[in-house]
């Protein structure tokens, strides 16, 4: 087995090729799941000439095994717990409640830090492309879909470089479209398909979000100037 992606930027570049039908449309918005989804989504948003924003969700990882998802929480206060996973892992509900409180606090910290005073972009009537660096259990993405649906977008597209076959099939039933580059079987982890899967820091997230925000602002300003000159 050889990695398919050099890094998250490379994965985003390849993913964008599958989404070119949505390029240069005024009703398209790319939403990243921080932190690992931001570099992937940055490349997708740039290739499609679309705005980039974030949708804050956090997986509720088993304390002794963080990759084992007991559920997920969103920045909007929504919470999804897998009672079957909680029961089978023998996790006490008091532990689950503590996890929820901890992850909500982390979501609040990240929301404030990453947005840097910029308001969340409205999703109403938009084609929303939800991007992450991969899907393991699907808990975070399912939560992201639920949170996005509350804002009444016209369409929700899931776009990820890699996901297990079972997870991909499950998402087809809750999203309007699923774009996935690779669905291996058996599936071990997202990171095994990347040559470079180092952790994405807050600084990288902040830099990429600000960079794309400035790119979109400049493009809109240029269009405005062209419209003014064209009407003269």
């Amino acid at each position: 087995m050889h990695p398919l992606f050099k890094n998250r930027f490379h994965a985003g570049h390849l993913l964008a090729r599958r989404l070119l039908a949505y390029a240069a449309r005024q009703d398209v918005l790319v939403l990243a799941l921080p932190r690992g989804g931001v570099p992937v989504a940055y490349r997708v948003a740039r290739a499609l000439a679309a705005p980039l924003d974030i949708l804050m969700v956090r997986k509720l990882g088993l304390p002794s095994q963080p990759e084992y998802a007991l559920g997920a929480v969103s920045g909007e206060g929504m919470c999804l717990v897998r009672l079957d996973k909680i029961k089978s892992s023998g996790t006490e509900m008091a532990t689950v409640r503590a996890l929820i409180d901890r992850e909500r606090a982390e979501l609040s910290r990240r929301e404030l830090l990453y947005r840097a005073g910029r308001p969340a972009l409205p999703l109403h009537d938009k084609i929303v492309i939800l991007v992450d660096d991969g899907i393991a259990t699907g808990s975070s993405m399912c939560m992201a879909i639920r949170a996005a649906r509350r804002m009444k977008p016209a369409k929700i597209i899931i776009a990820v470089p890699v996901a297990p076959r079972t997870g991909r099939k499950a998402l087809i039933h809750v999203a309007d479209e699923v774009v996935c580059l690779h669905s291996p079987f058996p599936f071990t982890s997202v990171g095994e398909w990347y040559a470079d899967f180092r952790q994405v820091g807050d600084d990288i997230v902040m830099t990429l979000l600000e960079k794309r925000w400035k790119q979109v602002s400049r493009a809109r300003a240029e269009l405005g100037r062209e419209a003014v000159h064209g009407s003269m």
Side-chain angles (χ1 to χ4, degrees):
M1 188 277 292
H2 297 285
L4 295 177
F5 315 113
K6 297 175 184 177
N7 51 38
R8 291 177 176 87
F9 291 111
H10 179 230
H13 170 73
L14 296 178
L15 196 56
R17 292 180 178 179
R18 294 277 297 275
L19 293 162
L20 289 179
Y22 298 100
R25 292 182 52 156
Q26 297 300 310
D27 58 346
V28 171
L29 175 62
V30 177
L31 286 185
L33 274 61
R35 292 181 291 198
V38 173
V40 184
Y42 172 79
R43 279 294 179 90
V44 170
R46 195 175 69 173
L48 301 185
L52 173 64
D53 204 353
I54 50 176
L55 200 157
M56 302 301 299
V57 294
R58 289 281 288 174
K59 178 172 59 182
L60 297 173
L62 187 68
S64 60
Q65 191 179 346
E67 291 303 312
Y68 187 89
L70 301 176
V73 294
S74 77
E76 287 74 31
M78 296 176 66
C79 181
L80 170 67
V81 293
R82 294 287 304 275
L83 295 177
D84 57 333
K85 298 288 186 180
I86 293 171
K87 184 178 180 179
S88 63
S89 66
T91 307
E92 298 287 341
M93 286 306 299
T95 300
V96 176
R97 286 191 288 270
L99 283 173
I100 292 171
D101 289 342
R102 185 186 72 186
E103 297 304 342
R104 281 177 171 166
E106 177 62 13
L107 283 173
S108 296
R109 182 194 73 82
R110 292 187 181 190
E111 184 95 26
L112 184 64
L113 185 66
Y114 297 166
R115 292 203 180 281
R118 296 185 294 270
L121 298 177
L123 307 189
H124 184 70
D125 284 342
K126 296 290 186 179
I127 296 175
V128 174
I129 303 177
L130 286 174
V131 180
D132 205 353
D133 55 10
I135 290 172
T137 65
S139 294
S140 296
M141 187 59 79
C142 284
M143 174 55 73
I145 294 169
R146 288 191 178 193
R149 287 281 187 211
R150 294 179 67 180
M151 292 173 259
K152 303 188 183 304
K155 184 177 184 179
I156 292 180
I157 302 165
I158 305 304
V160 292
V162 60
R165 292 180 188 177
T166 53
R168 180 179 182 176
K169 289 179 180 178
L171 289 172
I172 290 173
H173 298 294
V174 291
D176 298 300
E177 183 179 346
V178 176
V179 176
C180 179
L181 302 181
H182 187 49
S183 297
F185 181 84
F187 180 89
T188 304
S189 69
V190 171
E192 69 178 325
W193 300 101
Y194 287 82
D196 179 0
F197 198 63
R198 73 187 73 177
Q199 187 176 30
V200 177
D202 288 339
D203 56 337
I204 298 297
V205 172
M206 295 168 65
T207 296
L208 292 176
L209 290 175
E210 183 177 11
K211 186 174 182 180
R212 185 62 196 147
W213 179 78
K214 288 181 177 178
Q215 291 168 350
V216 170
S217 296
R218 284 197 298 268
R220 287 175 174 172
E222 289 172 4
L223 284 174
R225 286 194 291 269
E226 291 174 2
V228 170
H229 289 311
S231 63
M232 289 182 176

